[in-house]
Amino acid sequence: MRKFLITMLILTGPTMFSLRAGVDEVLSFVSEKNVEGYLKPFVTSLGVGLNSGMYHSAMVPEKLSYGFTLRSMLVLVPEDQKTFKPYTPVGYSSESTATVYGGDPGYIYGDQGYISYPGGFNVDLLALAFPQINLGWKGTELTAKFTPVLEIGESKEEFYFYTFALKHEVTRYFNNVPFNGAIQLGFGKIKFSDQLDFGNMAVNLIASKDFRLSTLYAGLSYQKTEVEANYSIVGDPENADPDLRLPKDVSLTIDGENGFGITAGAALRLGFFVLNADYTFNFQSVITAGMSFQF
Amino acid sequence: MKMKKYLFLLTAVFSILIMAGCDAFEDFTVNVPLTVAFTDSTYSTETFDNETYDLADNSVYQEYKEKIEDFEFLEARYNVKETLPDTITGTMTFTVNKNDSLGEEIFSQVFPNVKVYKGATDMLVLTQPQIQMFNAYLLNMYANAGTTKFYGEAVVSGLTDNGTLKKIVVELHLLLKAKGKL
């Protein structure tokens, strides 16, 4: 079991790192004015990914409880997040080009020649997998997903991520409420070397109803994600875009699509073993499946 | 024993998901814009200039050359930057050869009786065989470590023979698309 957990933790790191590596490689010719439009869907994905699957019930037992969950998610990328309208210099008209999830690179023509934008990676969905642990007592539960600090690749770049969420069942203070209700606050962080530093905050209002072996649950969430991005523009004196002619280090903060999401799901309880699946409707919707061992 | 089976199955499923996530971010596409500038003047009826362009000097190419696996021609246009007098009329011809002036011609495009003035621009329309030859030449750079050079000519002929100085500065812009694995 311990070996399996370590394997999971080590596997999760490279997955996330490969996403970062792919994105980082194509930023060398993206101006500071366009990097937000290009990367925003990626930031949103990591936000909804970190916040998804943080619960499968509003109920928290009075007595000490703990559990371990294997969580997998499919983040669905909508078509309208595969393109964006880039900033263009004077003498050029803006036309839609690919975001990080889009297809072929866009280009426009003007007085100074062709201005080209990077292509996307043709992503329709993003698969993420995390191990998760939880610890509850007296109506309050702490849930955590995390990896240890990993050094990945030939350059031994540092990677880690964590999400902590604190859930409190509020219906325990009221009598005759026909369901369980809880509020959950979550904070997450993903760090890729010194280049990308994601921060995520989420508030979830959760309602659930237990039946004999199953639980139906729903949630309303608000989430905010931003990334501090640092990258270098190579610099090309002949580039038609004046913002790309000189080598430059760029540092900026990019917001994801922040706002509300709605989750609906079901869980099947077989003793200490719980299977659950849910769907979150958000800027990027997420299908989540989990297998938990709850004690 | 059952628990071990579950864990094995889950490891397999999670590994597949993880591999899918990695693959999605490996394939990249990037456009490589090239600009070749021609400048010439004449007192007679024809201007002529030639330039050699080495793709190896292009910064986008430099950045990705180790990772590019396929290259293709996308589009080409000319853009007149300067003329003397303000407007001249003639037949403009652009020719691009492999490697140098003796290299095989990839394409030649003629614009007959055009008005040439600052800001004038038009697209070069290549035939499918010309595009295929261009793409093959680009691919040869990788498959057979071929040359990365192009030779270009710009000619404006049929100018009025009035003994005055006629000058033209024109840029040929080419756009190539590169695909590769990061």
Side-chain angles (χ1 to χ4, degrees):
Chain A
M1 184 66 160
R2 207 177 77 178
K3 277 184 186 168
F4 175 74
L5 279 177
I6 291 167
T7 305
M8 283 294 300
L9 290 170
I10 290 170
L11 283 174
T12 308
T15 307
M16 304 296 287
F17 196 79
S18 83
L19 308 186
R20 198 283 304 169
V23 169
D24 184 54
E25 284 276 2
V26 297
L27 291 184
S28 307
F29 293 92
V30 183
S31 73
E32 189 173 352
K33 291 165 185 162
N34 285 325
V35 72
E36 178 165 0
Y38 183 74
L39 279 188
K40 189 183 268 279
F42 178 57
V43 179
T44 305
S45 295
L46 292 181
V48 296
L50 282 180
N51 189 43
S52 294
M54 295 300 283
Y55 57 85
H56 56 259
S57 172
M59 200 265 286
V60 182
E62 188 67 19
K63 60 177 187 175
L64 182 69
S65 61
Y66 59 93
F68 169 71
T69 303
L70 301 172
R71 189 74 70 194
S72 63
M73 287 150 230
L74 288 177
V75 181
L76 310 176
V77 179
E79 283 300 313
D80 64 0
Q81 291 186 31
K82 293 181 179 177
T83 58
F84 77 106
K85 280 232 169 190
Y87 164 85
T88 52
V90 177
Y92 287 81
S93 58
S94 181
E95 291 179 20
S96 289
T97 185
T99 65
V100 63
Y101 291 149
D104 279 348
Y107 61 89
I108 49 175
Y109 187 76
D111 284 351
Q112 303 300 313
Y114 289 102
I115 290 180
S116 180
Y117 303 98
F121 292 90
N122 290 302
V123 176
D124 294 316
L125 53 87
L126 203 63
L128 302 171
F130 304 108
Q132 184 172 302
I133 56 171
N134 66 279
L135 182 66
W137 190 51
K138 289 190 180 296
T140 300
E141 184 182 75
L142 176 71
T143 303
K145 302 186 262 215
F146 60 89
T147 64
V149 177
L150 301 170
E151 289 183 339
I152 298 168
E154 289 174 6
S155 54
K156 300 277 178 198
E157 292 186 78
E158 200 175 76
F159 164 84
Y160 65 83
F161 91 89
Y162 63 79
T163 299
F164 291 105
L166 206 57
K167 181 174 80 178
H168 186 67
E169 186 184 346
V170 290
T171 45
R172 67 200 299 268
Y173 301 111
F174 305 97
N175 294 323
N176 302 321
V177 180
F179 61 89
N180 299 102
I183 185 167
Q184 186 179 48
L185 299 175
F187 298 91
K189 188 177 176 73
I190 303 176
K191 176 97 169 164
F192 296 106
S193 190
D194 293 326
Q195 289 159 318
L196 294 171
D197 192 348
F198 290 82
N200 171 257
M201 183 279 291
V203 181
N204 298 316
L205 295 176
I206 309 159
S208 68
K209 175 79 175 170
D210 286 345
F211 298 94
R212 207 166 66 88
L213 291 175
S214 62
T215 302
L216 293 179
Y217 60 95
L220 173 68
S221 65
Y222 175 81
Q223 66 149 28
K224 180 173 167 48
T225 308
E226 63 178 29
V227 59
E228 286 176 27
N230 301 292
Y231 70 100
S232 298
I233 291 172
V234 168
D236 171 16
E238 292 181 1
N239 200 301
D241 185 344
D243 291 330
L244 294 173
R245 286 179 192 155
L246 296 174
K248 184 160 71 167
D249 290 329
V250 176
S251 183
L252 77 166
T253 302
I254 302 167
D255 286 322
E257 294 281 2
N258 298 315
F260 290 94
I262 298 169
T263 299
L268 179 66
R269 288 175 280 108
L270 302 166
F272 65 86
F273 185 61
V274 183
L275 290 169
N276 80 290
D278 60 52
Y279 181 85
T280 300
F281 179 76
N282 209 319
F283 293 100
Q284 289 172 10
S285 294
V286 186
I287 298 169
T288 305
M291 187 179 83
S292 308
F293 302 89
Q294 293 291 150
F295 304 98
Chain B
M1 191 64 187
K2 269 189 174 179
M3 179 69 85
K4 275 188 179 174
K5 276 185 182 172
Y6 278 127
L7 293 178
F8 176 77
L9 186 65
L10 274 164
T11 307
V13 170
F14 277 66
S15 298
I16 288 165
L17 289 176
I18 284 159
M19 294 312 287
C22 292
D23 287 348
F25 282 78
E26 273 185 9
D27 298 322
F28 78 98
T29 318
V30 66
N31 290 336
V32 184
L34 322 177
T35 298
V36 188
F38 301 97
T39 305
D40 198 32
S41 56
T42 182
Y43 284 93
S44 68
T45 60
E46 184 173 299
T47 67
F48 171 86
D49 190 21
N50 64 71
E51 294 288 337
T52 300
Y53 185 91
D54 192 346
L55 193 59
D57 296 333
N58 183 286
S59 59
V60 180
Y61 173 82
Q62 283 282 352
E63 181 74 5
Y64 295 107
K65 67 178 178 184
E66 306 295 338
K67 294 156 186 165
I68 292 170
E69 294 177 342
D70 192 17
F71 235 142
E72 62 184 76
F73 168 84
L74 264 189
E75 198 176 291
R77 302 183 75 104
Y78 73 80
N79 194 312
V80 179
K81 309 305 287 183
E82 190 183 331
T83 63
L84 189 70
D86 289 345
T87 302
I88 51 180
T89 303
T91 295
M92 199 153 37
T93 305
F94 294 98
T95 304
V96 172
N97 289 2
K98 295 176 180 177
N99 198 27
D100 56 27
S101 61
L102 301 174
E104 187 179 4
E105 180 183 297
I106 298 173
F107 69 84
S108 184
Q109 183 93 53
V110 181
F111 297 89
N113 296 315
V114 287
K115 284 195 171 165
V116 184
Y117 53 90
K118 184 180 177 183
T121 181
D122 205 350
M123 187 181 287
L124 282 71
V125 181
L126 274 62
T127 63
Q128 272 306 314
Q130 287 171 336
I131 291 171
Q132 283 165 7
M133 183 188 274
F134 207 144
N135 291 346
Y137 184 56
L138 292 166
L139 192 59
N140 187 48
M141 294 175 194
Y142 299 96
N144 304 315
T147 175
T148 52
K149 288 181 182 169
F150 299 91
Y151 168 82
E153 285 179 3
V155 177
V156 185
S157 58
L159 301 174
T160 309
D161 189 10
N162 56 9
T164 60
L165 177 67
K166 285 153 288 237
K167 183 182 174 188
I168 179 167
V169 179
V170 62
E171 287 180 349
L172 181 62
H173 300 292
L174 298 156
L175 191 66
L176 312 176
K177 183 164 84 172
K179 290 180 183 175
K181 280 198 185 297
L182 295 174

